Amino acid sequence: MKTTGDQQLVKRINRSVLLRLLRQRGSLSRAQLAGESGLTKSTVSLLVRELIDEGWLAETGLAAAQGMGRPSTPLRLDGSRRAMVGVEIGVESLRVVGVSVTGEVLCAAEAPLVDRDPAAVCRQAAALVVRTQAELVARPVTVSGVGIGVPGAFDEATGTIRFAPNLGWRDVAFLPLITRALADAGSPPVAVHVQNEADTAALSEYEFADGEATDSLIFVTCGVGVGAGIVLNDRLFTGLQGMAGEIGHSI
């Protein structure tokens, strides 16, 4: 017997499948989404209605009917109502962008890093995030979450940066620090996701590069340090304690 938690997880996965299909294909009808996803038409209709009401999707108008029946209504991602905030914590600077769900950059800010102490970095990043959120809300769009790329091995299971040598960090409980800093800075409660910067770059290339991603991918970054992000079998591969891809420390 499925628990409520199991059902909610399945629902989140199914919603993600539909959103990803529309990002890849641009525009699909409900019937096409059902065919492409393998979900039932009734499930697709229910999820699509929720996603439209929440501002993720929009109907684009009527398409020509194919065969018998009513004309289908194409759906697309709605880039006008929802956005996310992305943060890059660099060795020397902080960069923050506000992007729509279709990938359009709506606003951006950058500032030199004033202090490498983890708590101070989180406070400075939180201030930039709150400023960016205010710009997005003024458009107006709903901010759905904050994604943060960090220059070190991030352990998703514990929310800890195991080590970031170019910042002098080791075993920093980063997720609790940044979550608290955002709340203290006045950020509304939104989902916060943290990942190694090379991993985020690899995932972005895999998801948003031209063409449909079908192969595995290794994305190598070369800056102050050297790192790599790995996408394997359609999933980001981070390894034990986030150490996969830390090639700069194994050469």
Side-chain angles (χ1 to χ4, degrees):
M1 180 177 179
K2 287 184 177 294
T3 65
T4 301
D6 292 332
Q7 293 169 348
Q8 290 301 314
L9 175 60
V10 170
K11 183 177 181 179
R12 288 199 300 272
I13 292 172
N14 289 342
R15 283 164 56 107
S16 296
V17 167
L18 299 183
L19 291 170
R20 194 178 188 193
L21 279 170
L22 285 167
R23 184 195 57 73
Q24 292 172 342
R25 304 299 174 83
S27 177
L28 292 170
S29 68
R30 290 168 176 80
Q32 289 171 323
L33 281 171
E36 294 274 354
S37 67
L39 299 173
T40 65
K41 291 183 179 180
S42 60
T43 296
V44 168
S45 293
L46 177 62
L47 295 178
V48 163
R49 174 45 53 194
E50 290 181 357
L51 291 168
I52 290 175
D53 290 344
E54 294 172 15
W56 294 98
L57 301 182
E59 295 178 328
T60 63
L62 292 179
Q66 298 180 352
M68 301 295 292
R70 298 170 58 187
S72 60
T73 304
L75 300 156
R76 59 172 174 79
L77 294 179
D78 189 348
S80 67
R81 293 199 289 163
R82 280 195 175 263
M84 282 77 71
V85 176
V87 182
E88 179 187 12
I89 295 179
V91 176
E92 298 176 345
S93 64
L94 294 171
R95 299 180 182 88
V96 179
V97 294
V99 295
S100 72
V101 296
T102 55
E104 179 188 1
V105 176
L106 303 175
C107 55
E110 183 174 354
L113 206 60
V114 297
D115 191 328
R116 291 187 177 182
D117 173 74
V121 170
C122 287
R123 288 193 296 270
Q124 186 182 1
L128 283 176
V129 167
V130 168
R131 190 172 78 188
T132 302
Q133 288 173 325
E135 291 185 47
L136 293 172
V137 170
R139 285 182 173 265
V141 295
T142 300
V143 178
S144 300
V146 177
I148 303 171
V150 296
F154 180 73
D155 186 349
E156 295 178 73
T158 62
T160 301
I161 295 178
R162 288 302 176 189
F163 79 119
N166 292 319
L167 288 174
W169 295 358
R170 182 174 290 275
D171 293 330
V172 173
F174 184 80
L175 185 57
L177 273 178
I178 190 64
T179 301
R180 184 164 57 250
L182 287 167
D184 291 345
S187 171
V190 294
V192 178
H193 301 279
V194 181
Q195 193 54 264
N196 169 267
E197 60 179 356
D199 289 340
T200 62
L203 192 59
S204 296
E205 181 68 19
Y206 188 75
E207 290 287 350
F208 292 100
D210 292 338
E212 185 174 347
T214 56
D215 298 325
S216 298
L217 168 75
I218 297 177
F219 187 97
V220 179
T221 61
C222 298
V224 175
V226 179
I230 303 168
V231 178
L232 187 63
N233 297 326
D234 203 39
R235 298 189 65 178
L236 186 64
F237 178 72
T238 57
L240 182 65
Q241 296 185 342
M243 294 297 291
E246 292 294 334
I247 59 175
H249 303 282
S250 59
I251 296 175

